[in-house]
Amino acid sequence: MMVKDGFLQKRLSLLKGYKPQWFVLADDGYLNYFSEKPKDEAQKPKGKMLLLLSDTMIKKDKVSFTVTSASNNVFRLRADSSEKRNKWVEAINDVRVKLYNRMFKGFYDNGERQLIETDLDQENDRKEIDDVAQQDDDGIIAVAETNIASLFQTRTTPFLAVGAIDFGTTYSGCAFSTVQNFKTNPLQINTFQLDHKNVSSFKTPTVLLLTPEGKFHSFGATAESHYVTLVRKEEANEWYYFNRFKMELYKNKELRRNMVLNDVGGKPMKAMLVFAFCIEFIKDLVLDKLKASIHGLEDDDVHWVVTVPAIWNEQARQFMIEASAKAGIEKDNLTLALEPECAAMFCRYLAIDKKKDGDEMELKAFDENARFMVVDLGGGTIDITMSEVLSTGQLREIYNATGGPWGGNYINDQIMKTLKEVIGWKVIRKFQDEDYDDYLEVLRQIEQIKRGMDNDSDYSVSIPKEHLQNIQVPDSYKQYVQVKKKSITLSASLMQKIFSTSVDSMIKHIEKLLQREEACSVSTILLVGGYSSSKVIQSAFREKFEKKFRIIIPLTPDMIVLKGAVITGHRVEAIVGRVAKYHYGLGLSSTGVSSHRISIVEDEEKMFFSLIKKGQTITVGEVVTQYEIVLKAKSRWANLEMYTSKDDNPKTIIDNEHFTKIGSIRVKLPQFKKESILILTISYDETEFKVVATDKNTGQCFVGTCRFLEKEIDHNSS
């Protein structure tokens, strides 16, 4: 039965902004929306949200409000007037309370039920509205539930297709497949060129160009080309031009939502916006392709997979989740997938396919019980995972993901540094300012040199002759560099020296990993990522490891992660087990903890109480720990700080040297009339922690959140 319907403005994404959508609030507890008023009750909604465990938040502008689901999916809405907004909020709250009472009738006594209704009805009081608007946007709690996992169910409807976005440091790409195609042939995965300016590859440079007003203009090779035009017109300084900015999420160990990136000219822009612009551009291209092949496809019919480096921390992962939300990918429709695990999943399916065709090849490495290492060599980082193939076809980590900042961009930077020191920094700057298209061509040549270099070959970089006039090669480079009329030649010995730092670092790191007990059954090393196309890299791995391990290098190593991401999106729980990279724990006063019972004590020295131990195997979706928290009467929040430690044996007392605060566990509560005890249950779901708090006396369950980004998003900003 329909409770309320009508138009509301909904924020669809960063580029689309607020658009009118027809909303239908149903008695079954769903808030559905359509592009226009539905013709009949059977029409499929464009999107929907289950209001069970949801939270309604009022904004100060008198017309805006947000509805947040239990899984932290957010509808950002605007009404035409304050009166209409308050009617919608009241109707949503009424449906939510009725849903609670209908589902759990008889569980609460009258006092507890009145407590819930009073807490929700406060939002309807005009004076209380402004007070609520100043509070944090955490999930409200209001239901009894025994199945912890069901509180975090994300998808409420099946999807028709999977789209994957590989957002790389240097290059980005996308791929997709329909559910029907996956059922008939999982390896039938569609890729396409992101722009017509880069016809030599399915990927395009991760480059973003914004107008002087900070609005989206272009992405990829198209952005590069237009920026060249701006440089020629001497207008470039007014625009925003970003490249190779993804590494900032790895370098910045204390990420904030309001983190700022500087463009090539030093102009600041919110990092969240920069990432969201890029993701939305790629997402929309994939949607256009899918809508052309599936009649009537809606945005909510696509499940999205965004790949991230395995060595990223929790803050960086949550940053990508929220950037994706700004780009119009609702949290219920998003999976974050670790890049090397995507590569492993693709090769697992490729092995199955080859076996069916009777071609064993070298892909026995991905049979049941096989253990293998994946080395994902990207532009910014090197990601390494070790996994085991289970009988179900799923993968289980046997050692925590690891790696370092030894990606291919280091080689590019060192070659460019050599050119600058030979030609002169001022000459290079003039070259960059006056002939930016030629400068970009030099960068492309360097990328090709990196991938195609042999150990015993000299390499030349073509440079316009006007920039090479009267060049005197510094003494330190005379035996390594020759300057000719239109090029600079780098000797084989210099190139080997440039590669050695990156190559030696990763080889030593992998050697140590393979000596660990967990790696004793590893038989195969799989190299993927654009940097693995380098002949120097391939030669180094074969020389060092081929006697003991099978080395597999796919023909298109830069596309394997993308294709594996699509498969991961189709599979339910493709990865069933992980290994903790750090010790995870709570920072609490020692006087406030007895066994697994916690009393909140402020302003005392914090001690480390373990939740997960470093190296511990974590089964995805299962509870990892439980604590009891004692709350005083009238408490509104349970707020517990979470820390990590890289030490094998972490210290007892928390300090800045040995511990890193990664976020807080926050649970918003109805106002208790007496002291209460909450049972805090923490589970691990793919790449996120999930929290449920249960009132020990009444059995009421409250959804909590692990917040890894300290500063709140300004929902009113663009």
Side-chain angles (χ1 to χ4, degrees):
M1 183 180 71
M2 186 267 290
V3 176
K4 184 174 177 55
D5 65 348
F7 277 112
L8 287 170
Q9 294 278 332
K10 181 180 186 296
R11 187 178 181 88
L12 299 179
S13 69
L14 191 60
L15 295 179
K16 295 176 182 176
Y18 282 90
K19 299 290 183 183
Q21 305 286 292
W22 184 271
F23 279 82
V24 174
L25 177 59
D27 191 48
D28 63 0
Y30 279 95
L31 181 61
N32 306 307
Y33 69 93
F34 305 79
S35 298
E36 54 188 22
K37 185 175 181 179
K39 297 177 181 178
D40 55 62
E41 292 184 1
Q43 184 173 331
K44 181 180 176 294
K46 186 176 179 181
K48 62 196 303 185
M49 177 188 288
L50 179 63
L51 295 177
L52 182 67
L53 296 172
S54 67
D55 186 18
T56 306
M57 195 64 154
I58 309 299
K59 298 299 180 182
K60 287 184 177 180
D61 64 4
K62 306 298 183 182
V63 293
S64 300
F65 65 104
T66 63
V67 185
T68 304
S69 72
S71 61
N72 278 333
N73 191 22
V74 182
F75 284 1
R76 295 177 176 86
L77 307 171
R78 287 178 184 167
D80 294 337
S81 66
S82 176
E83 181 183 5
K84 287 184 179 179
R85 181 195 64 178
N86 291 341
K87 286 183 178 180
W88 271 102
V89 170
E90 182 178 357
I92 289 171
N93 291 339
D94 285 346
V95 167
R96 182 167 51 204
V97 171
K98 289 175 183 177
L99 183 64
Y100 296 152
N101 292 340
R102 184 164 67 241
M103 293 185 70
F104 306 105
K105 185 177 181 180
F107 183 86
Y108 304 106
D109 60 32
N110 291 334
E112 291 293 339
R113 184 176 310 178
Q114 182 63 40
L115 174 66
I116 295 169
E117 293 176 348
T118 300
D119 190 58
L120 294 174
D121 286 341
Q122 284 179 349
E123 294 174 345
N124 299 324
D125 184 88
R126 294 296 297 274
K127 183 177 182 300
E128 291 292 332
I129 281 175
D130 288 337
D131 293 335
V132 173
Q134 297 174 19
Q135 295 178 5
D136 200 9
D137 192 7
D138 286 283
I140 198 168
I141 327 198
V143 66
E145 177 59 75
T146 56
N147 183 0
I148 297 298
S150 70
L151 292 174
F152 299 108
Q153 181 182 0
T154 54
R155 291 207 61 88
T156 56
T157 56
F159 53 88
L160 301 179
V162 170
I165 299 173
D166 183 8
F167 188 82
T169 302
T170 311
Y171 294 97
S172 294
C174 56
F176 64 91
S177 74
T178 66
V179 169
Q180 188 58 44
N181 286 344
F182 183 77
K183 289 177 179 178
T184 56
N185 180 8
L187 297 177
Q188 186 179 336
I189 297 168
N190 299 281
T191 57
F192 61 93
Q193 291 161 339
L194 276 175
D195 56 47
H196 66 279
K197 296 282 186 181
N198 194 45
V199 296
S200 62
S201 172
F202 285 109
K203 288 192 172 185
T204 196
T206 305
V207 173
L208 175 68
L209 182 64
L210 304 179
T211 67
E213 298 75 29
K215 303 299 182 182
F216 179 86
H217 180 273
S218 51
F219 178 80
T222 303
E224 283 186 338
S225 297
H226 192 78
Y227 188 70
V228 168
T229 303
L230 293 171
V231 171
R232 289 172 180 166
K233 294 180 179 179
E234 298 184 353
E235 297 175 3
N237 289 336
E238 300 174 14
W239 293 58
Y240 293 85
Y241 184 74
F242 297 92
N243 63 356
R244 288 170 57 171
F245 49 86
K246 181 183 173 184
M247 275 294 285
E248 294 303 314
L249 296 191
Y250 174 77
K251 293 176 183 177
N252 195 327
K253 301 305 179 184
E254 295 185 359
L255 282 176
R256 298 290 187 270
R257 286 188 175 91
N258 62 352
M259 170 184 167
V260 170
L261 293 176
N262 293 323
D263 82 331
V264 294
K267 296 183 294 298
M269 177 66 66
K270 283 187 177 181
M272 190 74 74
L273 299 182
V274 173
F275 279 80
F277 276 130
C278 300
I279 294 170
E280 184 168 359
F281 171 78
I282 299 172
K283 179 207 71 174
D284 287 348
L285 288 180
V286 175
L287 276 176
D288 288 344
K289 296 284 185 181
L290 282 168
K291 288 180 178 179
S293 60
I294 303 177
H295 178 70
L297 181 85
E298 296 285 355
D299 292 9
D300 195 53
D301 292 327
V302 182
H303 189 74
W304 295 94
V305 180
V306 175
T307 65
V308 296
I311 60 173
W312 269 12
N313 61 22
E314 284 75 16
Q315 292 99 323
R317 293 176 187 178
Q318 187 171 336
F319 188 98
M320 290 301 288
I321 290 172
E322 297 189 7
S324 299
K326 275 190 172 291
I329 302 177
E330 295 178 351
K331 193 171 185 295
D332 289 358
N333 282 16
L334 174 68
T335 294
L336 279 192
L338 305 187
E339 290 163 358
E341 291 181 347
C342 290
M345 185 56 64
F346 176 79
C347 290
R348 167 62 180 154
Y349 270 79
L350 185 61
I352 294 171
D353 184 65
K354 294 298 182 183
K355 186 174 289 186
K356 286 180 180 177
D357 294 342
D359 185 358
E360 292 282 336
M361 291 183 64
E362 288 187 308
L363 293 169
K364 280 184 179 180
F366 304 98
D367 285 349
E368 182 181 341
N369 299 323
R371 292 188 167 196
F372 57 92
M373 172 184 284
V374 178
V375 183
D376 181 13
L377 298 104
T381 59
I382 305 298
D383 276 349
I384 305 162
T385 59
M386 291 191 286
S387 303
E388 177 183 20
V389 181
L390 304 181
S391 58
T392 58
Q394 297 165 304
L395 302 179
R396 180 179 68 87
E397 260 189 358
I398 58 175
Y399 187 70
N400 61 270
T402 182
W406 314 307
N409 286 343
Y410 173 83
I411 306 301
N412 300 42
D413 291 342
Q414 291 302 306
I415 295 174
M416 180 53 72
K417 180 183 176 183
T418 299
L419 295 179
K420 288 177 179 178
E421 291 179 351
V422 170
I423 299 175
W425 291 71
K426 289 184 179 179
V427 176
I428 287 290
R429 172 60 66 182
K430 183 179 179 183
F431 177 27
Q432 186 175 353
D433 291 341
E434 296 179 359
D435 302 303
Y436 196 76
D437 49 347
D438 289 333
Y439 179 78
L440 283 177
E441 182 55 36
V442 169
L443 297 181
R444 295 184 187 110
Q445 288 182 65
I446 290 173
E447 180 68 22
Q448 293 305 312
I449 289 172
K450 178 184 70 180
R451 298 191 181 203
M453 176 194 149
D454 293 319
N455 283 322
D456 55 355
S457 299
D458 297 340
Y459 281 88
S460 294
V461 181
S462 298
I463 295 177
K465 63 181 180 180
E466 58 266 27
H467 298 293
L468 296 178
Q469 294 175 357
N470 303 317
I471 295 297
Q472 296 294 323
V473 179
D475 291 342
S476 58
Y477 282 101
K478 282 186 176 178
Q479 60 177 320
Y480 302 115
V481 176
Q482 285 185 321
V483 177
K484 300 178 180 178
K485 287 185 177 181
K486 296 183 180 181
S487 66
I488 293 180
T489 299
L490 309 178
S491 69
S493 59
L494 176 60
M495 293 301 297
Q496 290 169 12
K497 186 177 179 181
I498 288 173
F499 269 89
S500 63
T501 300
S502 172
V503 174
D504 291 349
S505 295
M506 74 175 76
I507 292 294
K508 288 178 182 177
H509 188 80
I510 291 170
E511 278 186 302
K512 286 183 179 180
L513 288 177
L514 291 171
Q515 290 170 5
R516 297 192 64 89
E517 181 180 349
E518 296 90 337
C520 64
S521 299
V522 169
S523 60
T524 301
I525 299 175
L526 171 67
L527 301 185
V528 297
Y531 190 20
S532 67
S533 299
S534 167
K535 294 180 181 179
V536 174
I537 292 294
Q538 296 178 8
S539 176
F541 270 84
R542 288 197 169 104
E543 181 180 336
K544 195 68 182 179
F545 301 115
E546 200 164 40
K547 291 181 181 178
K548 293 184 178 180
F549 302 93
R550 183 185 296 112
I551 308 295
I552 297 179
I553 308 170
L555 291 175
T556 55
D558 58 334
M559 297 300 292
I560 300 303
V561 168
L562 251 180
K563 293 180 178 180
V566 174
I567 292 174
T568 300
H570 283 288
R571 285 296 305 261
V572 177
E573 294 183 353
I575 313 298
V576 297
R578 300 189 188 278
V579 178
K581 293 188 289 185
Y582 316 114
H583 292 278
Y584 293 84
L586 302 176
L588 303 164
S589 165
S590 59
T591 59
V593 178
S594 175
S595 183
H596 266 55
R597 176 170 291 191
I598 301 167
S599 297
I600 306 298
V601 180
E602 301 293 340
D603 302 324
E604 287 194 11
E605 187 176 55
K606 288 185 171 61
M607 302 187 70
F608 186 72
F609 291 87
S610 178
L611 299 175
I612 300 170
K613 296 183 183 299
K614 182 179 178 181
Q616 177 180 331
T617 299
I618 307 168
T619 301
V620 172
E622 288 191 0
V623 171
V624 295
T625 192
Q626 281 189 337
Y627 274 90
E628 290 186 356
I629 305 175
V630 179
L631 292 176
K632 297 177 182 178
K634 298 185 178 180
S635 294
R636 287 290 294 173
W637 297 94
N639 184 17
L640 303 172
E641 295 180 343
M642 183 179 285
Y643 291 83
T644 60
S645 175
K646 295 181 180 180
D647 298 346
D648 291 335
N649 297 298
K651 296 179 178 295
T652 305
I653 297 175
I654 291 175
D655 58 34
N656 293 332
E657 182 180 354
H658 298 93
F659 293 89
T660 301
K661 181 184 174 184
I662 63 169
S664 301
I665 295 175
R666 307 195 71 187
V667 184
K668 185 179 178 183
L669 312 167
Q671 187 167 312
F672 288 94
K673 297 179 180 177
K674 57 185 178 181
E675 184 177 278
S676 300
I677 297 175
L678 291 184
I679 302 173
L680 190 72
T681 304
I682 303 175
S683 62
Y684 188 71
D685 182 14
E686 292 292 339
T687 54
E688 293 183 275
F689 287 101
K690 307 289 187 182
V691 183
V692 171
T694 308
D695 182 359
K696 193 173 183 179
N697 297 323
T698 67
Q700 287 177 257
C701 281
F702 310 92
V703 175
T705 55
C706 279
R707 292 193 178 276
F708 299 117
L709 292 172
E710 289 298 322
K711 189 173 179 62
E712 283 296 318
I713 293 177
D714 180 6
H715 297 305
N716 296 316
S717 66
S718 61

